[in-house]
Amino acid sequence: MGKYSTKELCEQVLKIKYDTFTVHKQRYLNKLRLAYEVYETTENGMIYYYLKPLNNLYTILNCDIGKRDIDIIASILKVIMKGDIVPVRAEIAKATNVPEGTVKSYINFLKKHEIIMGPEIEEFVVINGETGEIVREYKKKKTAYVYYDIKQDGSREKLLGQNLIHNKHGALWKGKFENQDYLHLVIRNLNYQPLISVVRKDVWNEMNNTFGLNKGARVEMLIINSEIREQLNEYFKAS
């Protein structure tokens, strides 16, 4: 249980100015009670607050959710962690029975507070083997994907064998860019299209043919922050 003077409570927990707290004291104490048992005492003429964390979603998230609905946040996180659906807004909206615009807003909020994490950035250095000089430095996103098929009726189906499909996708991209004859032919017939768009289309045409897909696609996986993932698992099991 933490003990805080009013000044410490404002600076360390609420992250607000002292004057703001004194003007709207009850509002901020009510916010605190969502995540803590709050005990207010007077000791030697000074007011102190004892905070005991509650075992709930507010505590795990550890951020001010404002006017957002905690039940909607819970529903979205459950669906993402379960991993059964394609993690695009439309599918999450259907699974949670929440409007798509609301899903977008909530996911942006969860990303902002690093509850849903962005892709890792890997740094690479290319060194001349003879001179030891650095030839080039670059960064690359390390992204995990979910592969799916868009059916004739517009529905999305998550594909089985994600690793196999991912490896095939990568091999096709690599093959295209290593095939100089293919690249020369594509460049001659670009017709003002970006090279990358033409290659992408050809790769997915081959993917569709190989795996019998109607219209294959992929989307970045939504990754829950590893620091709270296990806490969320335990919370959802108990709730």
Side-chain angles (χ1 to χ4, degrees):
M1 183 183 294
K3 177 183 177 182
Y4 303 88
S5 67
T6 305
K7 185 172 183 291
E8 290 169 337
L9 186 74
C10 295
E11 291 177 351
Q12 299 175 27
V13 182
L14 293 169
K15 314 292 187 186
I16 59 173
K17 294 180 179 178
Y18 179 90
D19 290 344
T20 303
F21 177 76
T22 56
V23 173
H24 303 288
K25 177 179 176 180
Q26 200 55 49
R27 180 202 301 175
Y28 286 104
L29 288 180
N30 288 340
K31 275 192 173 185
L32 282 175
R33 290 188 177 102
L34 295 173
Y36 302 94
E37 290 181 26
V38 181
Y39 304 95
E40 181 180 344
T41 65
T42 301
E43 302 174 14
N44 299 320
M46 288 272 295
I47 296 176
Y48 289 94
Y49 297 89
Y50 288 85
L51 305 183
K52 181 180 179 182
L54 298 171
N55 183 25
N56 64 17
L57 191 53
Y58 291 101
T59 309
I60 296 170
L61 298 179
N62 193 30
C63 65
D64 184 359
I65 69 169
K67 295 181 180 180
R68 295 171 186 83
D69 189 324
I70 194 69
D71 292 329
I72 291 178
I73 292 176
S75 297
I76 290 172
L77 290 174
K78 272 185 184 179
V79 165
I80 292 170
M81 292 179 69
K82 196 172 182 184
D84 290 341
I85 66 165
V86 178
V88 296
R89 291 196 301 268
E91 297 300 320
I92 295 172
K94 281 194 289 185
T96 57
N97 197 29
V98 172
E100 193 172 332
T102 303
V103 169
K104 177 183 178 181
S105 171
Y106 275 56
I107 286 179
N108 286 341
F109 168 79
L110 294 171
K111 287 181 176 179
K112 178 182 176 182
H113 290 277
E114 296 188 341
I115 295 160
I116 295 175
M117 300 298 290
E120 291 181 39
I121 304 296
E122 295 183 307
E123 296 185 1
F124 296 88
V125 178
V126 180
I127 298 175
N128 185 310
E130 295 180 359
T131 65
E133 293 181 1
I134 295 175
V135 177
R136 184 163 66 101
E137 296 181 54
Y138 65 97
K139 296 179 181 180
K140 183 179 179 182
K141 288 199 302 183
K142 185 180 180 181
T143 308
Y145 292 96
V146 173
Y147 291 80
Y148 61 99
D149 189 20
I150 303 173
K151 300 296 187 181
Q152 290 277 5
D153 61 2
S155 63
R156 299 172 183 85
E157 181 181 279
K158 185 178 176 181
L159 300 173
L160 298 174
Q162 290 280 316
N163 287 339
L164 173 67
I165 294 167
H166 178 69
N167 290 339
K168 179 64 175 178
H169 183 268
L172 286 173
W173 271 97
K174 183 180 179 183
K176 298 294 184 191
F177 280 100
E178 288 180 350
N179 187 334
Q180 294 301 313
D181 291 337
Y182 165 79
L183 289 176
H184 289 151
L185 180 63
V186 169
I187 290 169
R188 281 203 307 269
N189 296 280
L190 278 178
N191 209 14
Y192 302 106
Q193 298 178 76
L195 173 63
I196 201 77
S197 297
V198 176
V199 175
R200 182 183 294 114
K201 181 179 178 181
D202 288 348
V203 165
W204 277 109
N205 282 338
E206 289 194 43
M207 291 283 288
N208 292 339
N209 292 332
T210 301
F211 295 104
L213 308 178
N214 179 61
K215 186 180 179 183
R218 70 177 187 172
V219 64
E220 285 188 21
M221 189 181 293
L222 296 175
I223 307 293
I224 304 295
N225 190 324
S226 60
E227 293 182 5
I228 63 169
R229 186 177 181 86
E230 190 53 40
Q231 294 178 66
L232 287 171
N233 270 328
E234 294 301 320
Y235 172 77
F236 289 137
K237 283 179 185 177
S239 61

